[in-house]
Amino acid sequence: MRFTSLPLAGAMLIEPDPIEDERGFFARVWCAEEFARQGLDPRAAQANVGVSPRPGTLRGLHYQAAPDLEAKVVRCLQGVVWDVMVDLRADSATFRRWYGVELDAAQRQAVYIPPLCAHGYLTLAPNCEVWYQATTPYVPASARGIRWDDPAVGIRWPAPVEVIGARDRAWPLLDPEGSA
């Protein structure tokens, strides 16, 4: 695997390094030892999949609060999504900055999203399937989110949002004084 630092502190782009032959290819997409060598949390407590039939479907922006902080590895298995993370760590040099990357199933790359970074994605193709691996189990009482269109963050989505769930539409705006 190849790891590339992204503009948000602790975030990484993860690309497989395929070994090809007449059968196709084989590639490692997750390895606890390689994650640990990169300084990433190597735990895998839960894996989830999200399926969105329609382009323009937005999921997010979600995170878990303490004591159930989670890091995520996110990969698009089918279709193309615009994957976004927002740094909500008050002590981070990249606090309140966002970063977006296109995850395309054909490219097979993934992103590592550090704890206390809100995460969401917008589908850019029909029938998208996104796989998440989280370092801690989902705890409903710790679930939090911020609005996808929060002017304090200013995410530039590459396409119109056509479908969004009621819960994601209702997340609060960030406190203008600085806290999440």
Side-chain angles (χ1 to χ4, degrees), residues 47-131:
N48 308 299
V49 65
V51 175
S52 301
R54 292 179 45 196
T57 299
L58 187 130
R59 293 181 183 262
L61 299 158
H62 309 138
Y63 66 100
Q64 282 197 174
D68 301 301
L69 300 176
E70 67 178 352
K72 295 178 189 171
V73 176
V74 178
R75 177 181 313 278
C76 183
L77 300 177
Q78 181 174 315
V80 182
V81 301
W82 177 251
D83 197 86
V84 173
M85 59 189 90
V86 179
D87 190 343
L88 299 176
R89 300 166 290 176
D91 61 345
S92 172
T94 56
F95 178 59
R96 287 221 177 159
R97 291 189 200 157
W98 68 274
Y99 182 77
V101 62
E102 188 174 280
L103 297 180
D104 182 334
Q107 298 299 315
R108 298 179 180 88
Q109 75 275 49
V111 288
Y112 177 89
I113 302 163
L116 274 181
C117 285
H119 169 257
Y121 61 87
L122 178 67
T123 61
L124 301 178
N127 300 312
C128 289
E129 184 172 339
V130 176
W131 174 85

